[in-house]
Each structure stands twice: as structure tokens, then as C-alpha cells.
Amino acid sequence: MDKLLIEGGVRLAGETAISGAKNAALPILCAALLTREPMTFTNVPQLNDIDTLLKLLGQMGVKVSRDNATVTLDASAIDNPVAPYEMVKTMRASILVLGPLVARCGEARVSLPGGCAIGARPVDQHIKGLQAMGAQVTVEHGYVHAVVPRLRGARLFTDMVTVTGTENLMMAACLADGETVIENAAREPEVVDLANCLVAMGARISGAGTDVIRIRGVERLNGATHRIMPDRIETGTYLCAAAATGGEIRLTRTSTAYLDAVVDKLMDAGCDVVAERDAIRLKAPARLTAVNIRTSPYPAFPTDMQAQFMAINAVASGAAMIRETIFENRFMHAVELQRLGADIRIDGNTAVVQGVERLQGATVMATDLRASASLVIAGLVAEGETVIERIYHLDRGYERLEEKLAALGARVRRVA
Ligand code: EPZ
């Protein structure tokens, strides 16, 4: 398995470009299942998760063609509305084919994603919503099996804010008979990007980005072209890397538009952040001030940036509290950061981080996507060499990571 070797101690400087958002591309590529006409997507990030989803769509009968960041999907003939365990277990967001398949084919058989490192991550809200729309749903032998001649519009209320739950139900509602209202909907920008794509296909959606989304079902959707929004979590990750190393960088093809909570925290930590039209500049102080973090659904501080800020706080001056309110087990990076010398105490869903002057390089292990990013940031500031194992986690969500870090002056290389 590949490893990443990082020589710490370099202040990041320079410029690199941000890729399309993984968490927008995944639901948006699934939206192609809703129409018989071809769909073209641009600014699609080249990531393992995207490759996995395209393979999954291909085995359903979707014709897939790809030219770098441009993907064309033709779902005119879906002959196998099934998402098998072998594929779903490697990429839980495969659950996003469930809503579109039921809406388009009247049937779907999708493997339950199962848990993952950060939590149980059930899909009960996805199922509850489809049942409310008239689908007969059974869960047997590890598969969700949904059948309905045609979904009907309904008033849906999710027990908690769920991003992919909102996305699945919004896609399903596009072809339902009548109006669907999703209350307590997720307001994440990726939900809005998906809604914009669906509207371009002829869907009738209002309220995306608020906690009440209305969808008036139509008979069919047309093909369209859609450009995937920039990845705000990739953006935040590089901003944190520059902040932790006392660097000065510029990120292009992105914006602070959906990062207010993160940018506020970076400024509280002592960074200067300047927003340009489609770029961001950050200049960090020699040493950051520790900042308290509490994760919450958008527009509050994103859980996907929690691990990166734990790395920041590990070397900042002062102590800080980090509260993780979304997932039940999203502190696995803490024990790995402790191997690098971080002073972190975990108590349930709260971590108290006491900043230290210096981290020491060591061998550490990535456990999940954002935890891996946290270890990269720590490795960039640690004294000496840090070896990060199991970096396949990183490859799921960060396109050309070592190339982009090298463009910012980092001493990083991948070894098999
Ligand atoms: C999405 O996951 C993102 N993934 C996650 O990003 C992100 O961390 C998460 O939203 C929260 O923002 C994609 O968009 C592909 P949820 P999702 O449903 O939709 C519980 C990354 O690093 N829940 O909003 O799976 C759930 O257990 C990934 O890029 C239920 O109980 O998250 C969690 O505690 C990690 N039942 C909470 O709700 C359900 O039916 C929020 O989960 C659905 C969710």
C-alpha cells in the first residue's frame, strides 16, 4: 500500500488550483440516471470515489465516457438497477443511486452501505422518505429493495439534517406524481449545486439552500450540461495547511463563498484571508492562536473540517475545545496526532487540545479521508520526516495531493 513521506518544517508558499467538489459530483453524476438523454459534466474531480461511482453506473448499463475533468453519461438503457455490495462497501455514497433508480425504473436494489470508520451512518431517513412517497421498501440480506410503479409527491420531514438523504429524496421527487416538500432539509452548497443541475434538466425545484425544499414532479427530465462547483473542503484543507506552517498561499478556481465559518476561524487564529473573485489568498502568522470548534450542519462549521483544525490547534498557542456533534466516532486522527507529540485529551465528543511548540515526525496511519488530511497538515509542521500509511483514504477525496502540495513548496513524496 502506498505511503506518503513528508519532510516537515517548510512554510507553504505559492499557488495551486482547487478541483471540483467530490460531494457535489457524487450526487450530480447519479442525477444522470433520471433521464434517457445524455448528460455532460465538467470540472469533475479525478478521485477514486468518482472512479468507483462511474464503474457502478457502468454496470447498470449507463454508457460512461471521460476526458480528464469532463464526464459524459448516457443512461438511455438501464438494464440492471442494482448496486452490489462489492462496490457499495468501498464507497458508501453509492446509496445516492437509490432515489434516482426508483424514480426512473420503479425499482432498485442497493446494498446497505454499512458503517464506516467515523460512525454507523444509517440510511433510515432515505428509506423513510421513499416509503412516504409510496415505495414498498424491504431491507433483506444487506440490501435495500424498493419497488413502486410511480412515486407520489409527499410532505417529508427528516429526523436530523442529512446531506445525502436530502439529495436522494430531492432526486426521487423530481419524477414523482405531484409536489414533494422536504422539511429539515440540508442546506449544504452541494445540495444547491445538485438542485441547479436538476433544474437545468427541467426539474421544478424551489428552496434549495434553505431547510424547506419544494419539488413539483414532472413526467421526464432532459439532458443538460453542468459544471461541478469548487470543492470547499479541499479549499479549507489547503488553507489549514498554509495556516499551520506559517505560510502564504493563493488558491485558484475556488472562492470563500461557502467557507464563511472556516474563514472566520482561520482569521480568529490570526490569519489574513483575502477573497478574490475566484481565488483566495491566505497569509499566516508565525504561530497561530488556538480556536474553539463546534461542528454543525451548514452554514455552521463543517464536520469535514474538524480533523484539519485539530492539527492546527495541535501547534497553536493556547488550548482549545473541539466538539464533534455530527458523527459519533470522528476523533480517530487524535491518537495518530498524539504519536507526533500532540497534547490532546478526548472526552466523549469533545477534544481538548493544548498547543505544543513542536511536533516530531513519526510513522502514522490514516483511518478515514479527513483524518488523513489532518495527518498531512501535522506532518508538514512536524520536525523531521513523517510517514503516513494507508493513504488510499486520501486518494478518495484529494486530487493530485502531492503535486498540489509540491506546488506550494512542501517536501512530500509518495512511495509504494
Ligand atoms: C455527507 O455524508 C458527506 N458525504 C460527508 O462527507 C459529510 O461529513 C456529511 O454529509 C455531513 O456533512 C457526501 O456528501 C458524499 P449525513 P452523509 O447523512 O450524507 C445521521 C467526506 O469526508 N443519519 O448528513 O452520509 C448520520 O449517521 C464525507 O467527504 C442517520 O442517522 O451524512 C450522521 O450522524 C464524510 N440516518 C448525521 O445523520 C440517515 O438516514 C449526518 O449524516 C442519514 C443520516
Side-chain angles (χ1 to χ4, degrees):
M1 276 190 265
D2 285 3
K3 299 176 184 173
L4 214 52
L5 272 58
I6 302 176
E7 194 59 41
V10 175
R11 291 174 186 276
L12 295 191
E15 180 174 302
T16 195
I18 294 298
S19 305
K22 166 179 84 79
N23 290 351
L26 290 171
I28 288 170
L29 291 170
C30 293
L33 293 167
L34 291 166
T35 176
R36 295 177 180 286
E37 297 177 17
M39 294 285 297
T40 300
F41 305 98
T42 59
N43 201 33
V44 179
Q46 300 179 66
L47 299 167
N48 291 357
D49 273 8
I50 301 295
D51 297 345
T52 304
L53 180 60
L54 293 177
K55 259 194 230 108
L56 175 64
L57 295 173
Q59 61 89 40
M60 290 178 185
V62 177
K63 294 188 198 62
V64 178
S65 66
R66 183 171 197 173
D67 172 16
N68 293 319
T70 298
V71 170
T72 304
L73 298 179
D74 173 353
S76 52
I78 300 173
D79 48 28
N80 178 34
V82 177
Y85 176 69
E86 302 67 47
M87 304 187 90
V88 175
K89 71 180 178 185
T90 63
M91 213 271 295
R92 55 172 298 101
S94 310
I95 193 69
L96 284 162
V97 302
L98 178 63
L101 283 178
V102 176
R104 167 75 187 281
C105 310
E107 178 168 16
R109 189 184 294 277
V110 176
S111 167
L112 277 171
C116 79
I118 64 177
R121 300 182 75 183
V123 290
D124 54 298
Q125 302 297 309
H126 303 234
I127 293 170
K128 188 181 99 173
L130 289 174
Q131 287 172 324
M133 295 168 79
Q136 296 299 317
V137 183
T138 53
V139 179
E140 284 166 351
H141 308 297
Y143 278 77
V144 178
H145 183 211
V147 184
V148 62
R150 184 181 183 190
L151 291 167
R152 61 170 186 274
R155 174 173 290 277
L156 309 176
F157 186 89
T158 56
D159 296 352
M160 78 294 293
V161 173
T162 160
V163 175
T164 51
T166 300
E167 291 165 343
N168 236 336
L169 297 172
M170 181 166 69
M171 286 192 278
C174 287
L175 295 178
D177 180 12
E179 179 179 66
T180 297
V181 180
I182 304 175
E183 296 195 51
N184 202 20
R187 297 184 281 171
E188 270 68 5
E190 293 75 20
V191 174
V192 178
D193 205 28
L194 171 62
N196 292 339
C197 176
L198 292 167
V199 167
M201 295 165 70
R204 298 166 68 181
I205 300 173
S206 60
T210 75
D211 59 357
V212 179
I213 302 177
R214 287 177 189 284
I215 307 104
R216 274 176 293 163
V218 294
E219 292 302 315
R220 74 183 58 75
L221 292 176
N222 319 308
T225 294
H226 183 80
R227 178 179 177 76
I228 304 295
M229 66 179 281
D231 193 317
R232 63 191 171 102
I233 304 301
E234 184 194 19
T235 302
T237 303
Y238 284 103
L239 292 175
C240 285
T245 57
E248 181 169 0
I249 65 166
R250 181 167 184 267
L251 301 176
T252 60
R253 297 159 64 96
T254 185
S255 85
T256 57
Y258 309 115
L259 275 173
D260 290 350
V262 171
V263 170
D264 277 2
K265 287 296 176 184
L266 287 167
M267 291 166 79
D268 291 350
C271 297
D272 287 332
V273 180
V274 175
E276 298 176 20
R277 197 175 57 76
D278 62 354
I280 304 177
R281 276 185 286 119
L282 176 139
K283 184 173 179 356
R287 190 167 186 208
L288 297 168
T289 304
V291 287
N292 293 324
I293 300 290
R294 186 184 191 284
T295 67
S296 211
Y298 192 86
F301 189 91
T303 175
D304 290 351
M305 285 300 305
Q306 177 258 109
Q308 296 90 318
F309 268 78
M310 192 177 285
I312 276 195
N313 280 331
V315 290
S317 63
M321 275 176 69
I322 297 180
R323 284 198 63 197
E324 172 55 61
T325 72
I326 306 288
F327 291 108
E328 63 267 31
N329 188 33
R330 203 170 196 176
F331 281 151
M332 278 166 306
H333 39 285
V335 283
E336 298 303 314
L337 291 171
Q338 285 164 346
R339 284 183 50 74
L340 299 170
D343 177 353
I344 304 169
R345 282 190 312 288
I346 304 290
D347 177 10
N349 70 347
T350 300
V352 177
V353 186
Q354 175 67 50
V356 296
E357 287 286 331
R358 260 274 163 267
L359 294 176
Q360 286 82 32
T363 298
V364 289
M365 187 163 68
T367 50
D368 60 86
L369 172 55
R370 306 305 175 183
S372 324
S374 163
L375 299 178
V376 169
I377 292 168
L380 289 169
V381 296
E383 221 160 43
E385 181 179 77
T386 295
V387 180
I388 304 178
E389 299 185 335
R390 302 191 179 178
I391 57 166
Y392 57 85
H393 290 291
L394 276 170
D395 296 334
R396 298 187 47 187
Y398 290 97
E399 184 183 46
R400 292 180 291 115
L401 176 88
E402 56 267 36
E403 191 184 309
K404 294 190 182 186
L405 284 174
L408 298 174
R411 289 197 294 263
V412 56
R413 64 193 172 90
R414 179 184 291 248
V415 294

